[in-house]
Amino acid sequence: MRLLTVILLLLVNEICCAQTLGGNTVFNFLKVPNTPQLSALGGINVSQPSNDVGLAFNNPALLTPTMHSQMNAVFNGLYAGITSYHLSLGYHHPKLNTNFLWGLNYFNYGNVQQTDASGNMLGSFRPSDWVMQVSASRSYLEKWNYGASFKFISSNYGQYRSNGVALDAGVLYHDSASLFSASLLAKNMGFQLKKYLGTDPGDLPFDLELGLTKRLENAPFSFSVTAHHLQYFDISYNDTTFNNENGFENGSSRKFTFDKLFRHFVLATTIYLGDKVEVTAGYNHLRRQELNIGKAGNGLNGFSLGAALILDKLQVRYARSHYQGNTAYNQFGLNMTLNKYFGLGKWGEKISW
């Protein structure tokens, strides 16, 4: 445990000195939430206890023996006909006392016409992005869990292709007696193996996240607070050229404001309607501020909602996240415990607070 902490701190220190923010990074599709529960929680959450192997894809420290043989399949409808698919599988090895996860996130951008600089048709191509990862986690004493994920990343936009590798590392503290959990996660520590044609090597979208989740003892509510991009203070995107051309006010990177502080936080709550139904709501302040258009009406930008039906063999999850005006991003996911369908044996106990 101490060795893992030292390695994590060294890696974070090295990456923090090199990585950049926003549109200056490559493989930004890694920031899109892969599973409905994560989307419903505001898109960023590292501390929510849940028997959802798709959530463990985001933070390997959440991977537990209860996810043995569980499969998570997610179907996402984005904008302009873009689709995204996610698949993850959990496995517990009793002799090694280690939990494993394999996962794939795939983005399909459809069929795109290819032209030259003069606009002449050259045919078509199908751009895509995908990431495949393998995760492992172990417990330490009674209340700690730690894990890591290794990722291979691929991006294909016709003649512009790139790939890279990345590492996630997380630590989770979970106290079921006090209904409290906390987690620290370092995401996307890595580099490009092959850069895009005609470009310089880019930085991956590194993120250092810290989350707290507390469930009320005598009420069916839990609350989460997640802080992200802890390696920087000012994460606001200030495009001075665009602002000057459109009459918007430019921000000051040196000036402290509460808006800049709150951009680091994502708030979420889950309502437990018995043991089988969950309703979740989240608010991502950074998303709202970056997607709002001046002083125009921007609806529910930054807000997200979700619902889940939890059965013995099956979980059905849905999330709706608002990104712009009256449009939203919908996700639908299924979790199936395969050993309960095919008689492969049983492992683990039910997740409880």
Side-chain angles (χ1 to χ4, degrees):
M1 186 69 179
R2 292 180 180 177
L3 178 61
L4 177 67
T5 303
V6 172
I7 293 174
L8 179 59
L9 291 174
L10 290 175
L11 286 171
V12 168
N13 179 71
E14 180 68 21
I15 297 296
C16 285
C17 296
Q19 303 274 342
T20 54
L21 287 171
N24 296 321
T25 58
V26 295
F27 308 139
N28 282 295
F29 70 94
L30 295 173
K31 298 186 290 186
V32 178
N34 63 290
T35 192
Q37 185 172 193
L38 183 60
S39 292
L41 289 165
I44 302 176
N45 189 290
V46 296
S47 58
Q48 176 82 1
S50 175
N51 187 21
D52 179 1
V53 71
L55 201 60
F57 181 90
N58 173 67
N59 180 6
L62 294 174
L63 185 60
T64 65
T66 62
M67 299 172 190
H68 174 66
S69 84
Q70 187 182 126
M71 178 185 73
N72 176 230
V74 182
F75 312 92
N76 309 321
L78 294 108
Y79 305 104
I82 299 172
T83 56
S84 173
Y85 309 96
H86 170 78
L87 180 67
S88 55
L89 298 165
Y91 178 79
H92 175 80
H93 196 295
K95 292 184 179 180
L96 297 178
N97 194 27
T98 303
N99 314 300
F100 295 96
L101 177 149
W102 173 90
L104 174 69
N105 234 18
Y106 181 84
F107 290 80
N108 175 24
Y109 302 106
N111 197 43
V112 178
Q113 293 182 344
Q114 184 175 359
T115 62
D116 61 17
S118 301
N120 299 312
M121 294 294 301
L122 301 177
S124 62
F125 66 101
R126 299 184 65 86
S128 64
D129 289 314
W130 58 269
V131 55
M132 183 183 297
Q133 76 179 48
V134 176
S135 307
S137 75
R138 301 191 68 178
S139 60
Y140 177 75
L141 299 178
E142 295 182 358
K143 300 179 181 179
W144 294 90
N145 210 49
Y146 59 94
S149 299
F150 176 79
K151 304 177 179 179
F152 179 80
I153 310 157
S154 179
S155 183
N156 179 0
Y157 308 137
Q159 63 176 326
Y160 299 97
R161 303 186 179 199
S162 177
N163 53 54
V165 292
L167 176 72
D168 296 352
V171 179
L172 172 74
Y173 173 82
H174 176 63
D175 187 349
S176 58
S178 62
L179 310 180
F180 173 80
S181 63
S183 182
L184 176 68
L185 175 68
K187 295 190 66 176
N188 301 323
M189 300 179 288
F191 51 87
Q192 281 181 289
L193 296 173
K194 177 183 178 182
K195 62 187 180 70
Y196 294 105
L197 181 65
T199 66
D200 295 326
D203 295 325
L204 273 64
F206 172 74
D207 195 1
L208 182 61
E209 303 171 358
L210 175 66
L212 308 173
T213 299
K214 170 67 177 179
R215 180 167 177 175
L216 303 183
E217 184 175 359
N218 298 314
F221 299 98
S222 69
F223 298 93
S224 294
V225 179
T226 307
H228 56 93
H229 291 99
L230 295 176
Q231 71 275 21
Y232 295 104
F233 171 68
D234 186 7
I235 57 175
S236 56
Y237 184 74
N238 188 35
D239 189 334
T240 55
T241 302
F242 177 84
N243 291 341
N244 291 334
E245 291 177 351
N246 293 275
F248 295 136
E249 181 181 355
N250 285 307
S252 172
S253 60
R254 297 181 179 180
K255 183 179 179 181
F256 172 86
T257 65
F258 284 104
D259 173 66
K260 291 179 181 178
L261 176 64
F262 291 142
R263 285 177 187 238
H264 286 273
F265 291 94
V266 177
L267 307 177
T269 183
T270 299
I271 305 173
Y272 302 90
L273 304 177
D275 296 330
K276 300 186 182 301
V277 178
E278 297 176 2
V279 177
T280 304
Y283 174 68
N284 187 319
H285 188 65
L286 175 66
R287 182 190 300 167
R288 180 170 181 84
Q289 294 301 95
E290 289 193 339
L291 295 180
N292 282 353
I293 302 175
K295 298 181 179 179
N298 292 286
L300 295 175
N301 282 1
F303 289 91
S304 55
L305 295 170
L309 176 64
I310 314 296
L311 304 176
D312 182 49
K313 299 180 181 180
L314 179 71
Q315 300 178 33
V316 182
R317 294 185 180 273
Y318 169 79
R320 182 176 177 87
S321 306
H322 292 264
Y323 283 80
Q324 193 62 60
N326 295 321
T327 60
Y329 167 42
N330 297 292
Q331 283 183 305
F332 176 76
L334 295 174
N335 289 49
M336 299 176 62
T337 307
L338 300 181
N339 62 356
K340 294 183 179 180
Y341 281 94
F342 303 105
L344 301 178
K346 185 177 181 180
W347 186 268
E349 299 176 353
K350 182 179 178 182
I351 285 285
S352 65
W353 284 86

